Amino acid sequence: MLERVLYLAISKDIYQEFFIDYFIQSVLERYEIKLFVFHAQKQEIVLWKN
């Protein structure tokens, strides 16, 4: 069986508006949510959090 890792992908704009909040950061850490932040216009990943 293959193991896969699920990441939440969000745009840089959404991350800057919502995900930098202390409460949201604590939820991400508590539930070990992995995410990556991408720049939509440049089509590149700007942050990768395991």
Side-chain angles (χ1 to χ4, degrees), residues 27-38:
V27 170
L28 293 173
E29 286 182 30
R30 179 177 181 163
Y31 294 101
E32 298 178 3
I33 298 173
K34 297 169 176 27
L35 60 89
F36 70 84
V37 181
F38 63 93

Side-chain angles (χ1 to χ4, degrees), residues 10-21 24:
I10 55 173
S11 72
K12 182 180 175 184
D13 295 336
I14 298 299
Y15 182 78
Q16 290 176 333
E17 290 177 21
F18 184 70
F19 280 80
I20 58 170
D21 182 72
I24 301 301

